[in-house]
Amino acid sequence: MSTIYITGHRNPDLDSVCSAYGYAKLMNLQDPDNNYIPVRCGHLGDSTKKILDSLQIDIPKYKRDVYPKVRDVMMNSPYRIDAGDKLTSVAAIYEKNNPSAIPVYDNGRFYGLLTVDDITNWTMRELAKDSKITEIPSIRMIMSEQEPPIDAGELFDEGRTMLQGSSKRGLAVFENGEYAGYVTRRCFLKCPKYNVILVDHNEPHQSIRGIETANIVGIVDHHRLDAIKTDQPIFIDAEPLGSTCTIVYQLYIRNTRTPDPETAKVLLAGLISDTLILKSPTTTGNDVVAAHTLASLAGVNLEEFGLNMFSLVEDLKDRDPESAIVADFKTYVEKGIKIGIGQCEVTTLNDFDSYAYDYSEGLEAIRKKSGLDWAVLMITDVIHEHSTLICTDYKSNKHLPYKPIGNNLYDMPQVMSRKKQLLPEIIHAVGEH
Ligand SMILES: [Mn+2]
């Protein structure tokens, strides 16, 4: 049985987290011989967290990286040898398994590692003194001075280097300050690889840290393809649909499975979030069909569920502008110009004036910090299908086709999609000089 992690991208939005959750459920049904674990490789924004909390599910745990660790190769000994035991008590173990190290305990607490060198050195010393060994020592008496333990979270390569640099055949491994196992040279013969499935992204630089050291065993995504080269043939389902959750739902159908009501609700949340309640121009017929089926499986009213979900998104005027902007901020390079485009969703634009200035300041601060030439923020009212645009002061502003409603502020009725609607205009404006 092996473990396969399913992860979305590093800026975990709802589609990313919900598709990982739903796909793990499906794969655990399809392939019970392996263990599929949904994870997220970034921290949740406040609104995403609130919505996930409202779904009352086990939110995929944060996994920082998939670099192989000492933890992944350490060994655990089945023997409990006590420091006070006579050396003869390990004779049977050596005869059977010939281990290069054995953990030794003292009153139930880890005492140190007994290595085969300790035994040999003691025996040779005694034989040199007198050709007969008359008294059998306790294990404590022959153990040499211990070296500092390795931390279980230490990288595989680091751990190997530490062991190579030590005079010992084995080193103890500690986790949170407690003995957890030990490593010998044998542990480092082969570097283990994590198995990972990527959902809602496929580009390695957007993925979990260390993905280049892992086995990518699957990709389920709705973005452009710029994937890593793999050693083995893998499963890929990439379709230009409105959300990855839609593709995951279709995979249930393809495998003649039905998502349980809870999973249906989770998939619906991701779908509705990415398609802005099916109003974004990225929405396809497949998304509409999936959304309605998922809503009925979950026993919810689609429209009501969507509005409730977006009502959990905190009002922009109550949030810290910079953190609200970076929660969903993408950067592009066009004709050598570095551009950043953020998007925030709201349920009304009536209070726009109350925070527009603070968000302009926040956007300019982010532009400077990120070394961008131009930064823009679209604030999208998902209910009324209307956006406003805040821009930093830049020469291309005047080439935007939108009606100015203030200093570097623009009105964008019916604009919902950053990728499909705003980005082409931004690229066009950059080219006009
Ligand atoms: Mn998505």
Side-chain angles (χ1 to χ4, degrees):
M1 182 139 175
S2 48
T3 297
I4 295 145
Y5 291 101
I6 304 186
T7 183
H9 46 81
R10 233 182 270 185
N11 202 352
D13 57 12
L14 271 183
D15 189 34
S16 210
V17 177
C18 294
S19 59
Y21 179 93
Y23 193 49
K25 279 252 163 137
L26 173 65
M27 289 311 290
N28 282 321
L29 293 171
Q30 286 298 110
D31 176 22
D33 295 338
N34 290 307
N35 186 21
Y36 293 82
I37 302 177
V39 294
R40 57 188 167 83
C41 56
H43 295 295
L44 297 171
D46 289 345
S47 301
T48 310
K49 173 138 192 351
K50 253 195 214 166
I51 294 168
L52 287 170
D53 282 340
S54 78
L55 294 170
Q56 295 179 301
I57 54 160
D58 289 329
I59 300 172
K61 298 255 180 329
Y62 174 67
K63 187 164 180 59
R64 207 200 84 90
D65 61 72
V66 287
Y67 290 112
K69 308 277 168 30
V70 167
R71 184 186 295 124
D72 303 315
V73 295
M74 71 183 182
M75 295 196 288
N76 270 303
S77 170
Y79 320 110
R80 295 288 284 196
I81 302 294
D82 200 85
D85 289 351
K86 291 276 181 215
L87 179 58
T88 39
S89 65
V90 298
I93 297 172
Y94 273 96
E95 200 176 35
K96 240 205 239 147
N97 299 48
N98 196 23
S100 41
I102 299 179
V104 176
Y105 296 82
D106 187 19
N107 283 319
R109 287 192 60 81
F110 178 72
Y111 178 75
L113 273 190
L114 171 73
T115 65
V116 75
D117 291 332
D118 293 337
I119 302 170
T120 322
N121 291 345
W122 176 82
T123 313
M124 289 306 142
R125 256 194 332 263
E126 288 302 304
L127 291 177
K129 275 193 252 163
D130 176 359
S131 65
K132 269 198 245 83
I133 295 172
T134 46
E135 205 188 332
I136 304 296
S138 71
I139 286 168
R140 190 196 316 271
M141 282 170 64
I142 69 158
M143 277 172 73
S144 54
E145 207 186 311
Q146 295 293 305
E147 292 207 5
I150 304 186
D151 191 85
E154 195 64 74
L155 295 175
F156 176 90
D157 290 342
E158 280 296 315
R160 183 173 48 198
T161 308
M162 285 162 87
L163 184 60
Q164 278 167 352
S166 126
S167 60
K168 305 282 183 171
R169 282 168 191 262
L171 290 175
V173 179
F174 275 44
E175 178 107 57
N176 300 321
E178 295 283 336
Y179 170 76
Y182 64 98
V183 284
T184 62
R185 289 173 202 168
R186 204 185 299 167
C187 299
F188 293 103
L189 291 180
K190 192 165 178 278
C191 184
K193 280 184 165 195
Y194 282 86
N195 295 313
V196 185
I197 292 175
L198 312 183
V199 294
D200 199 35
H201 73 296
N202 67 79
E203 300 185 33
H205 70 97
Q206 299 173 346
S207 197
I208 189 163
R209 293 168 187 84
I211 191 69
E212 67 283 357
T213 66
N215 272 329
I216 297 177
V217 297
I219 295 173
V220 178
D221 190 21
H222 67 139
H223 294 97
R224 70 163 193 184
L225 208 60
D226 189 8
I228 212 164
K229 187 176 169 189
T230 61
D231 296 339
Q232 300 286 325
I234 68 165
F235 176 82
I236 298 186
D237 191 342
E239 297 181 55
L241 304 183
S243 85
T244 303
C245 284
T246 303
I247 306 177
V248 171
Y249 163 72
Q250 294 183 163
L251 287 169
Y252 273 84
I253 303 305
R254 206 207 271 190
N255 290 292
T256 62
R257 301 258 182 201
T258 310
D260 61 63
E262 185 191 69
T263 309
K265 203 191 254 188
V266 172
L267 289 173
L268 182 62
L271 197 172
I272 273 181
S273 161
D274 254 28
T275 61
L276 307 177
I277 326 185
L278 305 177
K279 286 175 191 150
S280 164
T282 55
T283 310
T284 66
N286 297 38
D287 298 302
V288 176
V289 171
H292 283 96
T293 317
L294 288 169
S296 82
L297 288 171
V300 298
N301 175 285
L302 177 59
E303 197 68 15
E304 223 172 83
F305 179 77
L307 295 184
N308 269 335
M309 213 180 82
F310 278 103
S311 73
L312 292 175
V313 175
E314 225 180 325
D315 286 342
L316 288 185
K317 64 172 183 302
D318 300 331
R319 299 178 64 183
D320 167 58
E322 283 190 47
S323 60
I325 298 166
V326 296
D328 183 9
F329 192 76
K330 292 189 174 151
T331 56
Y332 306 85
V333 180
E334 197 57 43
K335 302 194 167 67
I337 313 283
K338 290 192 188 124
I339 308 159
I341 310 181
Q343 185 171 24
C344 292
E345 281 97 36
V346 295
T347 51
T348 177
L349 284 168
N350 286 341
D351 57 352
F352 177 69
D353 290 343
S354 70
Y355 56 76
Y357 178 77
D358 292 337
Y359 277 72
S360 297
E361 299 265 283
L363 188 64
E364 173 61 14
I366 290 167
R367 184 195 69 77
K368 273 198 198 132
K369 273 186 221 165
S370 319
L372 301 168
D373 299 298
W374 191 20
V376 305
L377 172 67
M378 76 187 281
I379 296 168
T380 302
D381 178 343
V382 296
I383 311 292
H384 306 94
E385 300 177 45
H386 198 127
S387 297
T388 51
L389 188 70
I390 301 177
C391 300
T392 58
D393 200 29
Y394 190 64
K395 57 191 174 182
S396 298
N397 285 353
K398 62 176 181 292
H399 298 298
L400 289 171
Y402 308 119
K403 186 175 137 234
I405 50 168
N407 187 26
N408 298 327
L409 304 176
Y410 301 87
D411 191 33
M412 305 194 295
Q414 262 95 57
V415 177
M416 305 282 284
S417 168
R418 165 172 45 198
K419 189 167 58 179
K420 280 208 161 176
Q421 293 168 301
L422 178 57
L423 182 60
E425 298 297 352
I426 294 282
I427 290 172
H428 180 78
V430 166
E432 293 280 307
H433 280 298

